[in-house]
Amino acid sequence: MSHGTTRSSEGLDVRHKKILMRAWHRGVKEMDLMLGRFVDNELDKLTDEELDQLEMLMDQHDRDLMQWFTNELPVPEAFDCPMFHRIKNYHKNFESGLL
């Protein structure tokens, strides 16, 4: 199992480099894996609006994100956005072996 990024930041603009770095350096390993794997595989496919949503989610505390992703707590309306569900579905598929 990989515990770090599988992609290089070479050729990425500043915004994409920052997102890649932040996704893999959360402070909580579970969130590193959750956000990092998603960003490694999906970063190039995201629109500016989706990047905005991703950055908004990444601004939240790891503990909050983990509780929302695991359904321990309901996702507050302000964060219940398409990107949240895209990340969650990505990992559902990852864990099911579909990715």
Side-chain angles (χ1 to χ4, degrees):
M1 174 188 294
S2 174
H3 293 292
T5 186
T6 57
R7 72 172 293 161
S8 169
S9 63
E10 186 175 324
L12 296 178
D13 63 30
V14 172
R15 184 179 192 190
H16 285 84
K17 284 181 183 180
K18 285 181 180 181
I19 290 172
L20 181 61
M21 178 68 146
R22 288 181 66 200
W24 280 107
H25 295 89
R26 301 289 306 170
V28 173
K29 184 50 92 178
E30 292 83 1
M31 289 312 303
D32 287 354
L33 293 171
M34 183 157 233
L35 293 175
R37 285 178 180 159
F38 175 81
V39 168
D40 273 2
N41 291 293
E42 302 294 313
L43 185 61
D44 296 332
K45 303 171 192 170
L46 302 178
T47 66
D48 286 338
E49 181 180 342
E50 290 169 329
L51 291 172
D52 291 343
Q53 289 179 15
L54 177 58
E55 289 172 318
M56 181 260 311
L57 288 169
M58 290 174 63
D59 286 342
Q60 306 315 303
H61 293 285
D62 287 338
R63 180 180 169 105
D64 293 337
L65 288 170
M66 185 59 70
Q67 290 175 323
W68 302 337
F69 281 121
T70 61
N71 299 318
E72 187 177 332
L73 288 176
V75 182
E77 187 176 332
F79 305 107
D80 192 10
C81 61
M83 181 54 60
F84 176 84
H85 294 283
R86 185 168 173 177
I87 295 167
K88 191 169 183 172
N89 288 332
Y90 175 87
H91 284 285
K92 186 186 307 182
N93 291 332
F94 183 86
E95 292 169 4
S96 298
L98 299 174
L99 295 175

PDB file of all heavy atoms in Angstrom, residues 10-47:
ATOM      1  N   GLU A  10       5.912  18.231 -11.108  1.00  0.00           N
ATOM      2  CA  GLU A  10       6.547  18.831 -12.283  1.00  0.00           C
ATOM      3  C   GLU A  10       5.504  19.142 -13.347  1.00  0.00           C
ATOM      4  O   GLU A  10       4.637  18.337 -13.660  1.00  0.00           O
ATOM      5  CB  GLU A  10       7.588  17.868 -12.865  1.00  0.00           C
ATOM      6  CG  GLU A  10       8.400  18.459 -13.988  1.00  0.00           C
ATOM      7  CD  GLU A  10       9.496  17.521 -14.452  1.00  0.00           C
ATOM      8  OE1 GLU A  10      10.072  16.818 -13.598  1.00  0.00           O
ATOM      9  OE2 GLU A  10       9.762  17.514 -15.653  1.00  0.00           O
ATOM     10  N   GLY A  11       5.548  20.357 -13.846  1.00  0.00           N
ATOM     11  CA  GLY A  11       4.644  20.790 -14.894  1.00  0.00           C
ATOM     12  C   GLY A  11       3.322  21.354 -14.387  1.00  0.00           C
ATOM     13  O   GLY A  11       2.519  21.822 -15.180  1.00  0.00           O
ATOM     14  N   LEU A  12       3.087  21.293 -13.080  1.00  0.00           N
ATOM     15  CA  LEU A  12       1.851  21.836 -12.522  1.00  0.00           C
ATOM     16  C   LEU A  12       2.000  23.323 -12.249  1.00  0.00           C
ATOM     17  O   LEU A  12       3.090  23.787 -11.902  1.00  0.00           O
ATOM     18  CB  LEU A  12       1.493  21.134 -11.207  1.00  0.00           C
ATOM     19  CG  LEU A  12       1.166  19.649 -11.263  1.00  0.00           C
ATOM     20  CD1 LEU A  12       0.885  19.123  -9.859  1.00  0.00           C
ATOM     21  CD2 LEU A  12      -0.019  19.390 -12.171  1.00  0.00           C
ATOM     22  N   ASP A  13       0.902  24.067 -12.382  1.00  0.00           N
ATOM     23  CA  ASP A  13       0.940  25.474 -12.005  1.00  0.00           C
ATOM     24  C   ASP A  13       0.946  25.574 -10.476  1.00  0.00           C
ATOM     25  O   ASP A  13       0.791  24.578  -9.773  1.00  0.00           O
ATOM     26  CB  ASP A  13      -0.224  26.252 -12.624  1.00  0.00           C
ATOM     27  CG  ASP A  13      -1.589  25.783 -12.145  1.00  0.00           C
ATOM     28  OD1 ASP A  13      -1.727  25.310 -11.005  1.00  0.00           O
ATOM     29  OD2 ASP A  13      -2.551  25.905 -12.925  1.00  0.00           O
ATOM     30  N   VAL A  14       1.127  26.777  -9.968  1.00  0.00           N
ATOM     31  CA  VAL A  14       1.275  26.984  -8.527  1.00  0.00           C
ATOM     32  C   VAL A  14       0.058  26.466  -7.755  1.00  0.00           C
ATOM     33  O   VAL A  14       0.201  25.803  -6.723  1.00  0.00           O
ATOM     34  CB  VAL A  14       1.534  28.481  -8.212  1.00  0.00           C
ATOM     35  CG1 VAL A  14       1.502  28.744  -6.723  1.00  0.00           C
ATOM     36  CG2 VAL A  14       2.866  28.926  -8.814  1.00  0.00           C
ATOM     37  N   ARG A  15      -1.136  26.756  -8.244  1.00  0.00           N
ATOM     38  CA  ARG A  15      -2.349  26.329  -7.535  1.00  0.00           C
ATOM     39  C   ARG A  15      -2.403  24.808  -7.405  1.00  0.00           C
ATOM     40  O   ARG A  15      -2.663  24.267  -6.336  1.00  0.00           O
ATOM     41  CB  ARG A  15      -3.599  26.836  -8.249  1.00  0.00           C
ATOM     42  CG  ARG A  15      -4.883  26.493  -7.509  1.00  0.00           C
ATOM     43  CD  ARG A  15      -6.113  27.008  -8.210  1.00  0.00           C
ATOM     44  NE  ARG A  15      -7.280  26.924  -7.348  1.00  0.00           N
ATOM     45  CZ  ARG A  15      -8.515  27.133  -7.768  1.00  0.00           C
ATOM     46  NH1 ARG A  15      -8.742  27.472  -9.040  1.00  0.00           N
ATOM     47  NH2 ARG A  15      -9.527  27.026  -6.926  1.00  0.00           N
ATOM     48  N   HIS A  16      -2.150  24.113  -8.500  1.00  0.00           N
ATOM     49  CA  HIS A  16      -2.195  22.655  -8.487  1.00  0.00           C
ATOM     50  C   HIS A  16      -1.084  22.075  -7.602  1.00  0.00           C
ATOM     51  O   HIS A  16      -1.315  21.087  -6.900  1.00  0.00           O
ATOM     52  CB  HIS A  16      -2.100  22.114  -9.915  1.00  0.00           C
ATOM     53  CG  HIS A  16      -3.369  22.282 -10.687  1.00  0.00           C
ATOM     54  ND1 HIS A  16      -3.681  23.457 -11.341  1.00  0.00           N
ATOM     55  CD2 HIS A  16      -4.401  21.445 -10.909  1.00  0.00           C
ATOM     56  CE1 HIS A  16      -4.850  23.324 -11.938  1.00  0.00           C
ATOM     57  NE2 HIS A  16      -5.317  22.107 -11.684  1.00  0.00           N
ATOM     58  N   LYS A  17       0.095  22.674  -7.624  1.00  0.00           N
ATOM     59  CA  LYS A  17       1.182  22.215  -6.753  1.00  0.00           C
ATOM     60  C   LYS A  17       0.801  22.347  -5.282  1.00  0.00           C
ATOM     61  O   LYS A  17       1.062  21.450  -4.476  1.00  0.00           O
ATOM     62  CB  LYS A  17       2.464  23.018  -7.012  1.00  0.00           C
ATOM     63  CG  LYS A  17       3.188  22.640  -8.266  1.00  0.00           C
ATOM     64  CD  LYS A  17       4.444  23.465  -8.435  1.00  0.00           C
ATOM     65  CE  LYS A  17       5.134  23.135  -9.734  1.00  0.00           C
ATOM     66  NZ  LYS A  17       6.359  23.911  -9.930  1.00  0.00           N
ATOM     67  N   LYS A  18       0.199  23.476  -4.920  1.00  0.00           N
ATOM     68  CA  LYS A  18      -0.219  23.688  -3.526  1.00  0.00           C
ATOM     69  C   LYS A  18      -1.264  22.665  -3.106  1.00  0.00           C
ATOM     70  O   LYS A  18      -1.214  22.136  -1.992  1.00  0.00           O
ATOM     71  CB  LYS A  18      -0.758  25.108  -3.335  1.00  0.00           C
ATOM     72  CG  LYS A  18       0.310  26.168  -3.299  1.00  0.00           C
ATOM     73  CD  LYS A  18      -0.313  27.540  -3.072  1.00  0.00           C
ATOM     74  CE  LYS A  18       0.753  28.609  -3.031  1.00  0.00           C
ATOM     75  NZ  LYS A  18       0.177  29.949  -2.790  1.00  0.00           N
ATOM     76  N   ILE A  19      -2.219  22.408  -3.970  1.00  0.00           N
ATOM     77  CA  ILE A  19      -3.265  21.433  -3.653  1.00  0.00           C
ATOM     78  C   ILE A  19      -2.649  20.050  -3.462  1.00  0.00           C
ATOM     79  O   ILE A  19      -2.979  19.345  -2.500  1.00  0.00           O
ATOM     80  CB  ILE A  19      -4.360  21.428  -4.741  1.00  0.00           C
ATOM     81  CG1 ILE A  19      -5.168  22.731  -4.669  1.00  0.00           C
ATOM     82  CG2 ILE A  19      -5.263  20.201  -4.604  1.00  0.00           C
ATOM     83  CD1 ILE A  19      -6.141  22.930  -5.816  1.00  0.00           C
ATOM     84  N   LEU A  20      -1.762  19.661  -4.338  1.00  0.00           N
ATOM     85  CA  LEU A  20      -1.109  18.360  -4.222  1.00  0.00           C
ATOM     86  C   LEU A  20      -0.344  18.255  -2.897  1.00  0.00           C
ATOM     87  O   LEU A  20      -0.458  17.257  -2.176  1.00  0.00           O
ATOM     88  CB  LEU A  20      -0.173  18.130  -5.413  1.00  0.00           C
ATOM     89  CG  LEU A  20       0.571  16.806  -5.443  1.00  0.00           C
ATOM     90  CD1 LEU A  20      -0.390  15.625  -5.500  1.00  0.00           C
ATOM     91  CD2 LEU A  20       1.534  16.781  -6.637  1.00  0.00           C
ATOM     92  N   MET A  21       0.396  19.284  -2.566  1.00  0.00           N
ATOM     93  CA  MET A  21       1.165  19.286  -1.323  1.00  0.00           C
ATOM     94  C   MET A  21       0.243  19.227  -0.102  1.00  0.00           C
ATOM     95  O   MET A  21       0.466  18.428   0.813  1.00  0.00           O
ATOM     96  CB  MET A  21       2.033  20.551  -1.269  1.00  0.00           C
ATOM     97  CG  MET A  21       2.832  20.682  -0.018  1.00  0.00           C
ATOM     98  SD  MET A  21       4.084  19.413   0.048  1.00  0.00           S
ATOM     99  CE  MET A  21       5.358  20.289   0.867  1.00  0.00           C
ATOM    100  N   ARG A  22      -0.785  20.054  -0.098  1.00  0.00           N
ATOM    101  CA  ARG A  22      -1.716  20.088   1.044  1.00  0.00           C
ATOM    102  C   ARG A  22      -2.462  18.767   1.214  1.00  0.00           C
ATOM    103  O   ARG A  22      -2.766  18.352   2.330  1.00  0.00           O
ATOM    104  CB  ARG A  22      -2.734  21.212   0.879  1.00  0.00           C
ATOM    105  CG  ARG A  22      -2.158  22.590   1.077  1.00  0.00           C
ATOM    106  CD  ARG A  22      -3.217  23.661   0.931  1.00  0.00           C
ATOM    107  NE  ARG A  22      -4.210  23.558   2.002  1.00  0.00           N
ATOM    108  CZ  ARG A  22      -5.428  24.080   1.938  1.00  0.00           C
ATOM    109  NH1 ARG A  22      -5.814  24.735   0.858  1.00  0.00           N
ATOM    110  NH2 ARG A  22      -6.261  23.956   2.937  1.00  0.00           N
ATOM    111  N   ALA A  23      -2.777  18.104   0.110  1.00  0.00           N
ATOM    112  CA  ALA A  23      -3.516  16.846   0.176  1.00  0.00           C
ATOM    113  C   ALA A  23      -2.703  15.752   0.868  1.00  0.00           C
ATOM    114  O   ALA A  23      -3.261  14.900   1.556  1.00  0.00           O
ATOM    115  CB  ALA A  23      -3.919  16.398  -1.224  1.00  0.00           C
ATOM    116  N   TRP A  24      -1.388  15.786   0.692  1.00  0.00           N
ATOM    117  CA  TRP A  24      -0.532  14.741   1.257  1.00  0.00           C
ATOM    118  C   TRP A  24       0.133  15.140   2.565  1.00  0.00           C
ATOM    119  O   TRP A  24       0.877  14.351   3.145  1.00  0.00           O
ATOM    120  CB  TRP A  24       0.535  14.327   0.239  1.00  0.00           C
ATOM    121  CG  TRP A  24      -0.016  13.387  -0.784  1.00  0.00           C
ATOM    122  CD1 TRP A  24      -0.289  13.665  -2.089  1.00  0.00           C
ATOM    123  CD2 TRP A  24      -0.378  12.021  -0.577  1.00  0.00           C
ATOM    124  NE1 TRP A  24      -0.799  12.548  -2.705  1.00  0.00           N
ATOM    125  CE2 TRP A  24      -0.859  11.525  -1.802  1.00  0.00           C
ATOM    126  CE3 TRP A  24      -0.339  11.163   0.527  1.00  0.00           C
ATOM    127  CZ2 TRP A  24      -1.289  10.212  -1.965  1.00  0.00           C
ATOM    128  CZ3 TRP A  24      -0.772   9.853   0.365  1.00  0.00           C
ATOM    129  CH2 TRP A  24      -1.240   9.391  -0.866  1.00  0.00           C
ATOM    130  N   HIS A  25      -0.090  16.327   3.053  1.00  0.00           N
ATOM    131  CA  HIS A  25       0.548  16.797   4.291  1.00  0.00           C
ATOM    132  C   HIS A  25      -0.505  17.392   5.220  1.00  0.00           C
ATOM    133  O   HIS A  25      -0.439  18.548   5.600  1.00  0.00           O
ATOM    134  CB  HIS A  25       1.647  17.813   3.977  1.00  0.00           C
ATOM    135  CG  HIS A  25       2.767  17.201   3.211  1.00  0.00           C
ATOM    136  ND1 HIS A  25       2.771  17.151   1.836  1.00  0.00           N
ATOM    137  CD2 HIS A  25       3.894  16.578   3.630  1.00  0.00           C
ATOM    138  CE1 HIS A  25       3.867  16.530   1.439  1.00  0.00           C
ATOM    139  NE2 HIS A  25       4.562  16.172   2.497  1.00  0.00           N
ATOM    140  N   ARG A  26      -1.468  16.571   5.589  1.00  0.00           N
ATOM    141  CA  ARG A  26      -2.590  16.999   6.409  1.00  0.00           C
ATOM    142  C   ARG A  26      -2.260  17.006   7.892  1.00  0.00           C
ATOM    143  O   ARG A  26      -2.788  17.787   8.636  1.00  0.00           O
ATOM    144  CB  ARG A  26      -3.798  16.080   6.177  1.00  0.00           C
ATOM    145  CG  ARG A  26      -4.296  16.004   4.760  1.00  0.00           C
ATOM    146  CD  ARG A  26      -4.954  17.242   4.307  1.00  0.00           C
ATOM    147  NE  ARG A  26      -6.019  17.629   5.224  1.00  0.00           N
ATOM    148  CZ  ARG A  26      -6.645  18.778   5.172  1.00  0.00           C
ATOM    149  NH1 ARG A  26      -6.333  19.651   4.250  1.00  0.00           N
ATOM    150  NH2 ARG A  26      -7.590  19.080   6.039  1.00  0.00           N
ATOM    151  N   GLY A  27      -1.464  16.060   8.320  1.00  0.00           N
ATOM    152  CA  GLY A  27      -1.185  15.912   9.745  1.00  0.00           C
ATOM    153  C   GLY A  27      -1.832  14.668  10.322  1.00  0.00           C
ATOM    154  O   GLY A  27      -1.437  14.169  11.356  1.00  0.00           O
ATOM    155  N   VAL A  28      -2.851  14.159   9.646  1.00  0.00           N
ATOM    156  CA  VAL A  28      -3.511  12.915  10.037  1.00  0.00           C
ATOM    157  C   VAL A  28      -3.387  11.966   8.847  1.00  0.00           C
ATOM    158  O   VAL A  28      -3.864  12.272   7.749  1.00  0.00           O
ATOM    159  CB  VAL A  28      -4.999  13.161  10.395  1.00  0.00           C
ATOM    160  CG1 VAL A  28      -5.729  11.852  10.647  1.00  0.00           C
ATOM    161  CG2 VAL A  28      -5.110  14.077  11.602  1.00  0.00           C
ATOM    162  N   LYS A  29      -2.724  10.833   9.053  1.00  0.00           N
ATOM    163  CA  LYS A  29      -2.407   9.917   7.954  1.00  0.00           C
ATOM    164  C   LYS A  29      -3.647   9.489   7.168  1.00  0.00           C
ATOM    165  O   LYS A  29      -3.624   9.396   5.941  1.00  0.00           O
ATOM    166  CB  LYS A  29      -1.665   8.692   8.494  1.00  0.00           C
ATOM    167  CG  LYS A  29      -1.214   7.727   7.428  1.00  0.00           C
ATOM    168  CD  LYS A  29      -0.459   8.386   6.304  1.00  0.00           C
ATOM    169  CE  LYS A  29       1.016   8.397   6.509  1.00  0.00           C
ATOM    170  NZ  LYS A  29       1.706   9.014   5.349  1.00  0.00           N
ATOM    171  N   GLU A  30      -4.760   9.237   7.869  1.00  0.00           N
ATOM    172  CA  GLU A  30      -5.977   8.823   7.170  1.00  0.00           C
ATOM    173  C   GLU A  30      -6.451   9.885   6.180  1.00  0.00           C
ATOM    174  O   GLU A  30      -6.905   9.556   5.080  1.00  0.00           O
ATOM    175  CB  GLU A  30      -7.095   8.503   8.174  1.00  0.00           C
ATOM    176  CG  GLU A  30      -6.849   7.272   9.007  1.00  0.00           C
ATOM    177  CD  GLU A  30      -5.957   7.503  10.231  1.00  0.00           C
ATOM    178  OE1 GLU A  30      -5.521   8.656  10.458  1.00  0.00           O
ATOM    179  OE2 GLU A  30      -5.688   6.521  10.944  1.00  0.00           O
ATOM    180  N   MET A  31      -6.331  11.150   6.574  1.00  0.00           N
ATOM    181  CA  MET A  31      -6.740  12.215   5.654  1.00  0.00           C
ATOM    182  C   MET A  31      -5.709  12.411   4.553  1.00  0.00           C
ATOM    183  O   MET A  31      -6.075  12.759   3.425  1.00  0.00           O
ATOM    184  CB  MET A  31      -6.992  13.517   6.411  1.00  0.00           C
ATOM    185  CG  MET A  31      -8.252  13.490   7.273  1.00  0.00           C
ATOM    186  SD  MET A  31      -9.749  12.868   6.454  1.00  0.00           S
ATOM    187  CE  MET A  31      -9.899  13.949   5.055  1.00  0.00           C
ATOM    188  N   ASP A  32      -4.420  12.186   4.856  1.00  0.00           N
ATOM    189  CA  ASP A  32      -3.410  12.204   3.796  1.00  0.00           C
ATOM    190  C   ASP A  32      -3.799  11.206   2.708  1.00  0.00           C
ATOM    191  O   ASP A  32      -3.779  11.529   1.522  1.00  0.00           O
ATOM    192  CB  ASP A  32      -2.034  11.800   4.332  1.00  0.00           C
ATOM    193  CG  ASP A  32      -1.362  12.837   5.196  1.00  0.00           C
ATOM    194  OD1 ASP A  32      -1.885  13.956   5.324  1.00  0.00           O
ATOM    195  OD2 ASP A  32      -0.302  12.512   5.756  1.00  0.00           O
ATOM    196  N   LEU A  33      -4.147  10.000   3.141  1.00  0.00           N
ATOM    197  CA  LEU A  33      -4.495   8.956   2.177  1.00  0.00           C
ATOM    198  C   LEU A  33      -5.792   9.274   1.449  1.00  0.00           C
ATOM    199  O   LEU A  33      -5.892   9.089   0.226  1.00  0.00           O
ATOM    200  CB  LEU A  33      -4.595   7.602   2.888  1.00  0.00           C
ATOM    201  CG  LEU A  33      -3.278   7.066   3.435  1.00  0.00           C
ATOM    202  CD1 LEU A  33      -3.523   5.836   4.299  1.00  0.00           C
ATOM    203  CD2 LEU A  33      -2.307   6.758   2.312  1.00  0.00           C
ATOM    204  N   MET A  34      -6.765   9.747   2.177  1.00  0.00           N
ATOM    205  CA  MET A  34      -8.062  10.023   1.562  1.00  0.00           C
ATOM    206  C   MET A  34      -7.964  11.157   0.536  1.00  0.00           C
ATOM    207  O   MET A  34      -8.377  11.003  -0.617  1.00  0.00           O
ATOM    208  CB  MET A  34      -9.092  10.357   2.625  1.00  0.00           C
ATOM    209  CG  MET A  34     -10.478  10.575   2.082  1.00  0.00           C
ATOM    210  SD  MET A  34     -11.701  10.311   3.348  1.00  0.00           S
ATOM    211  CE  MET A  34     -12.731   9.158   2.508  1.00  0.00           C
ATOM    212  N   LEU A  35      -7.425  12.285   0.953  1.00  0.00           N
ATOM    213  CA  LEU A  35      -7.322  13.427   0.035  1.00  0.00           C
ATOM    214  C   LEU A  35      -6.187  13.244  -0.960  1.00  0.00           C
ATOM    215  O   LEU A  35      -6.321  13.599  -2.133  1.00  0.00           O
ATOM    216  CB  LEU A  35      -7.160  14.723   0.821  1.00  0.00           C
ATOM    217  CG  LEU A  35      -8.380  15.132   1.648  1.00  0.00           C
ATOM    218  CD1 LEU A  35      -8.067  16.364   2.487  1.00  0.00           C
ATOM    219  CD2 LEU A  35      -9.586  15.393   0.766  1.00  0.00           C
ATOM    220  N   GLY A  36      -5.071  12.707  -0.499  1.00  0.00           N
ATOM    221  CA  GLY A  36      -3.917  12.538  -1.377  1.00  0.00           C
ATOM    222  C   GLY A  36      -4.183  11.622  -2.555  1.00  0.00           C
ATOM    223  O   GLY A  36      -3.860  11.946  -3.700  1.00  0.00           O
ATOM    224  N   ARG A  37      -4.763  10.455  -2.278  1.00  0.00           N
ATOM    225  CA  ARG A  37      -5.070   9.525  -3.375  1.00  0.00           C
ATOM    226  C   ARG A  37      -6.043  10.155  -4.367  1.00  0.00           C
ATOM    227  O   ARG A  37      -5.881  10.006  -5.585  1.00  0.00           O
ATOM    228  CB  ARG A  37      -5.671   8.246  -2.822  1.00  0.00           C
ATOM    229  CG  ARG A  37      -4.671   7.346  -2.159  1.00  0.00           C
ATOM    230  CD  ARG A  37      -5.359   6.127  -1.600  1.00  0.00           C
ATOM    231  NE  ARG A  37      -4.395   5.246  -0.962  1.00  0.00           N
ATOM    232  CZ  ARG A  37      -4.720   4.343  -0.057  1.00  0.00           C
ATOM    233  NH1 ARG A  37      -5.985   4.203   0.323  1.00  0.00           N
ATOM    234  NH2 ARG A  37      -3.800   3.583   0.477  1.00  0.00           N
ATOM    235  N   PHE A  38      -7.051  10.820  -3.837  1.00  0.00           N
ATOM    236  CA  PHE A  38      -8.023  11.472  -4.718  1.00  0.00           C
ATOM    237  C   PHE A  38      -7.320  12.502  -5.602  1.00  0.00           C
ATOM    238  O   PHE A  38      -7.498  12.511  -6.823  1.00  0.00           O
ATOM    239  CB  PHE A  38      -9.140  12.127  -3.898  1.00  0.00           C
ATOM    240  CG  PHE A  38     -10.094  12.912  -4.737  1.00  0.00           C
ATOM    241  CD1 PHE A  38     -11.114  12.273  -5.426  1.00  0.00           C
ATOM    242  CD2 PHE A  38      -9.972  14.293  -4.864  1.00  0.00           C
ATOM    243  CE1 PHE A  38     -11.998  12.996  -6.226  1.00  0.00           C
ATOM    244  CE2 PHE A  38     -10.851  15.017  -5.655  1.00  0.00           C
ATOM    245  CZ  PHE A  38     -11.865  14.366  -6.333  1.00  0.00           C
ATOM    246  N   VAL A  39      -6.525  13.373  -4.999  1.00  0.00           N
ATOM    247  CA  VAL A  39      -5.849  14.432  -5.749  1.00  0.00           C
ATOM    248  C   VAL A  39      -4.864  13.850  -6.757  1.00  0.00           C
ATOM    249  O   VAL A  39      -4.784  14.319  -7.896  1.00  0.00           O
ATOM    250  CB  VAL A  39      -5.168  15.436  -4.786  1.00  0.00           C
ATOM    251  CG1 VAL A  39      -4.229  16.363  -5.527  1.00  0.00           C
ATOM    252  CG2 VAL A  39      -6.229  16.241  -4.035  1.00  0.00           C
ATOM    253  N   ASP A  40      -4.116  12.823  -6.362  1.00  0.00           N
ATOM    254  CA  ASP A  40      -3.186  12.191  -7.300  1.00  0.00           C
ATOM    255  C   ASP A  40      -3.882  11.781  -8.586  1.00  0.00           C
ATOM    256  O   ASP A  40      -3.344  11.960  -9.673  1.00  0.00           O
ATOM    257  CB  ASP A  40      -2.556  10.945  -6.684  1.00  0.00           C
ATOM    258  CG  ASP A  40      -1.302  11.219  -5.874  1.00  0.00           C
ATOM    259  OD1 ASP A  40      -0.912  12.394  -5.735  1.00  0.00           O
ATOM    260  OD2 ASP A  40      -0.706  10.243  -5.375  1.00  0.00           O
ATOM    261  N   ASN A  41      -5.082  11.234  -8.450  1.00  0.00           N
ATOM    262  CA  ASN A  41      -5.770  10.661  -9.602  1.00  0.00           C
ATOM    263  C   ASN A  41      -6.757  11.588 -10.297  1.00  0.00           C
ATOM    264  O   ASN A  41      -7.092  11.362 -11.463  1.00  0.00           O
ATOM    265  CB  ASN A  41      -6.489   9.375  -9.176  1.00  0.00           C
ATOM    266  CG  ASN A  41      -5.490   8.289  -8.856  1.00  0.00           C
ATOM    267  OD1 ASN A  41      -4.802   7.801  -9.731  1.00  0.00           O
ATOM    268  ND2 ASN A  41      -5.381   7.943  -7.593  1.00  0.00           N
ATOM    269  N   GLU A  42      -7.218  12.609  -9.617  1.00  0.00           N
ATOM    270  CA  GLU A  42      -8.284  13.435 -10.175  1.00  0.00           C
ATOM    271  C   GLU A  42      -7.900  14.890 -10.446  1.00  0.00           C
ATOM    272  O   GLU A  42      -8.651  15.608 -11.100  1.00  0.00           O
ATOM    273  CB  GLU A  42      -9.498  13.417  -9.235  1.00  0.00           C
ATOM    274  CG  GLU A  42     -10.056  12.024  -8.976  1.00  0.00           C
ATOM    275  CD  GLU A  42     -10.658  11.390 -10.212  1.00  0.00           C
ATOM    276  OE1 GLU A  42     -11.432  12.066 -10.906  1.00  0.00           O
ATOM    277  OE2 GLU A  42     -10.358  10.208 -10.477  1.00  0.00           O
ATOM    278  N   LEU A  43      -6.766  15.340  -9.962  1.00  0.00           N
ATOM    279  CA  LEU A  43      -6.387  16.752 -10.031  1.00  0.00           C
ATOM    280  C   LEU A  43      -6.486  17.327 -11.442  1.00  0.00           C
ATOM    281  O   LEU A  43      -7.017  18.416 -11.638  1.00  0.00           O
ATOM    282  CB  LEU A  43      -4.975  16.959  -9.465  1.00  0.00           C
ATOM    283  CG  LEU A  43      -4.486  18.396  -9.351  1.00  0.00           C
ATOM    284  CD1 LEU A  43      -5.382  19.204  -8.411  1.00  0.00           C
ATOM    285  CD2 LEU A  43      -3.045  18.421  -8.851  1.00  0.00           C
ATOM    286  N   ASP A  44      -6.005  16.601 -12.411  1.00  0.00           N
ATOM    287  CA  ASP A  44      -6.001  17.097 -13.793  1.00  0.00           C
ATOM    288  C   ASP A  44      -7.394  17.194 -14.407  1.00  0.00           C
ATOM    289  O   ASP A  44      -7.579  17.852 -15.418  1.00  0.00           O
ATOM    290  CB  ASP A  44      -5.144  16.195 -14.680  1.00  0.00           C
ATOM    291  CG  ASP A  44      -3.683  16.213 -14.269  1.00  0.00           C
ATOM    292  OD1 ASP A  44      -3.226  17.227 -13.720  1.00  0.00           O
ATOM    293  OD2 ASP A  44      -3.004  15.189 -14.491  1.00  0.00           O
ATOM    294  N   LYS A  45      -8.362  16.549 -13.791  1.00  0.00           N
ATOM    295  CA  LYS A  45      -9.722  16.504 -14.332  1.00  0.00           C
ATOM    296  C   LYS A  45     -10.628  17.579 -13.732  1.00  0.00           C
ATOM    297  O   LYS A  45     -11.758  17.746 -14.188  1.00  0.00           O
ATOM    298  CB  LYS A  45     -10.351  15.136 -14.050  1.00  0.00           C
ATOM    299  CG  LYS A  45      -9.557  13.976 -14.609  1.00  0.00           C
ATOM    300  CD  LYS A  45     -10.116  12.662 -14.096  1.00  0.00           C
ATOM    301  CE  LYS A  45      -9.166  11.526 -14.404  1.00  0.00           C
ATOM    302  NZ  LYS A  45      -9.558  10.301 -13.714  1.00  0.00           N
ATOM    303  N   LEU A  46     -10.165  18.290 -12.708  1.00  0.00           N
ATOM    304  CA  LEU A  46     -11.024  19.210 -11.971  1.00  0.00           C
ATOM    305  C   LEU A  46     -11.112  20.585 -12.629  1.00  0.00           C
ATOM    306  O   LEU A  46     -10.109  21.142 -13.067  1.00  0.00           O
ATOM    307  CB  LEU A  46     -10.515  19.359 -10.535  1.00  0.00           C
ATOM    308  CG  LEU A  46     -10.422  18.072  -9.718  1.00  0.00           C
ATOM    309  CD1 LEU A  46      -9.866  18.359  -8.328  1.00  0.00           C
ATOM    310  CD2 LEU A  46     -11.770  17.380  -9.628  1.00  0.00           C
ATOM    311  N   THR A  47     -12.319  21.113 -12.657  1.00  0.00           N
ATOM    312  CA  THR A  47     -12.550  22.469 -13.157  1.00  0.00           C
ATOM    313  C   THR A  47     -12.141  23.478 -12.083  1.00  0.00           C
ATOM    314  O   THR A  47     -11.904  23.111 -10.931  1.00  0.00           O
ATOM    315  CB  THR A  47     -14.041  22.673 -13.481  1.00  0.00           C
ATOM    316  OG1 THR A  47     -14.786  22.618 -12.255  1.00  0.00           O
ATOM    317  CG2 THR A  47     -14.552  21.644 -14.474  1.00  0.00           C
TER     318      THR A  47
END
